[in-house]
Each structure stands twice: as structure tokens, then as C-alpha cells.
Amino acid sequence: KQWYQRRVRGALYHGYTALQNLAMVLYWYFNMANHPWYTNALIGLVVGSTLLGSLLSLLYYRFFHPSLTPVMHLSKIRPPLDRLKAKHLEEPREAMHVTTI
């Protein structure tokens, strides 16, 4: 239940931030006396960076945040380090030949 509350709170925060950015862009756009050549580029940059930031935040909290239990974690993709160490220790080592003079 707690993870659900955090996700809802995060979604509300990012949705509210996106609405604020959209409101400010629309206010700026409709209150300009003339529209310079870069108007559409700035609108695209603000909207695009807001969407990119939300997507990156979603990916971080879904796969990389340490306090959450994600569906797919990186330890399931890579073999755990303990298993690699155990495999390395089980392999026979060649005897070292020390030559004395």
C-alpha cells in the first residue's frame, strides 16, 4: 500500500509540474506582441524537456531506486557477484612453480 501512495504522490507532482509549465508557456505565447522565429522552438523545448524529465524520473524510480522493490531489478539481469565469486573459487588453480636460485 505504501508503494502505491508514493507512486500516486509522484504522479500527482509530475502532473502538476507539467500543467504549470504548460500554463506558463501558453501565457507567454498569447501575451506576446509579436512572435519571433524561435517561438515554436522554445515551446517544443519546454514541453519536450518536461516530458523527458518525467520519463527519466519514471525509469529511475521503476528500475534503479534503492528503497523500492521493482518488478525487474538489475540483479536479475546480471548474475549476482556472490555467484561469480563462488564459481571462481571452485575452479581449480594451476600450481604455481617457484624457482629458487
Side-chain angles (χ1 to χ4, degrees), residues 74-87:
L74 288 180
S75 64
K76 293 181 182 177
I77 298 171
R78 297 188 304 228
L81 188 58
D82 294 336
R83 218 179 332 159
L84 289 176
K85 286 181 182 177
K87 185 179 178 185

Side-chain angles (χ1 to χ4, degrees), residues 2-91:
Q2 188 178 13
W3 62 269
Y4 180 76
Q5 290 174 347
R6 284 188 293 222
R7 288 185 183 180
V8 168
R9 194 178 315 137
L12 289 174
Y13 168 76
H14 287 289
Y16 179 71
T17 304
L19 284 176
Q20 278 184 328
N21 287 343
L22 183 63
M24 292 307 295
V25 164
L26 291 175
Y27 177 79
W28 172 75
Y29 181 78
F30 288 115
N31 288 316
M32 287 179 20
N34 58 355
H35 295 281
W37 62 270
Y38 54 84
T39 301
N40 293 334
L42 283 178
I43 291 173
L45 185 66
V46 169
V47 171
S49 62
T50 300
L51 291 175
L52 180 65
S54 296
L55 176 68
L56 291 175
S57 178
L58 178 70
L59 289 174
Y60 170 74
Y61 283 109
R62 179 76 173 154
F63 294 110
F64 300 110
H65 195 272
S67 69
L68 297 176
T69 306
V71 174
M72 185 175 85
H73 195 267
L74 288 180
S75 64
K76 293 181 182 177
I77 298 171
R78 297 188 304 228
L81 188 58
D82 294 336
R83 218 179 332 159
L84 289 176
K85 286 181 182 177
K87 185 179 178 185
H88 178 68
L89 292 176
E90 292 171 0
E91 293 175 356

